[in-house]
Amino acid sequence: MLLIALYTFLFIINIATFGLYAIDKRNAYFGFRRIPEAVLLGLAVLGGAYGAGAGMVLFRHKTLHTAFLITVPLFFAIWLAILIILCILM
């Protein structure tokens, strides 16, 4: 049951993170108000690293920012390790 809840949480947060990267890229293009970098990075840390990585690659967004180039892949690996460990233990 715990794994199902975790998978559901990760699915939702990654879809939301991906969507926010798309919105922020659009806002940057049109000169509208941007989503703070702390929000985008925070979502990656909380489990949205997969969506953040996909958004960075697909939209070519935040790919020159060192904080994003380090944080997103790092938390991608951390969340992957967490999932692998939980799958082995359960």
Side-chain angles (χ1 to χ4, degrees):
M1 198 60 154
L2 173 68
L3 278 179
I4 294 173
L6 181 61
Y7 290 152
T8 303
F9 167 75
L10 289 174
F11 178 77
I12 291 168
I13 196 167
N14 278 286
I15 294 297
T17 303
F18 182 79
L20 286 177
Y21 270 75
I23 291 168
D24 192 50
K25 179 65 176 190
R26 185 201 63 202
N27 289 354
Y29 182 80
F30 289 111
F32 297 150
R33 186 160 189 249
R34 305 285 301 278
I35 297 170
E37 289 185 357
V39 171
L40 296 174
L41 283 174
L43 287 170
V45 169
L46 291 175
Y50 306 103
M56 286 175 66
V57 171
L58 185 64
F59 305 122
R60 295 186 207 156
H61 191 51
K62 302 290 185 188
T63 56
L64 299 178
H65 294 260
T66 305
F68 285 85
L69 291 176
I70 294 170
T71 305
V72 171
L74 174 66
F75 279 93
F76 183 92
I78 289 171
W79 276 102
L80 181 61
I82 290 169
L83 289 175
I84 289 171
I85 291 168
L86 284 176
C87 286
I88 291 172
L89 294 177
M90 296 194 153

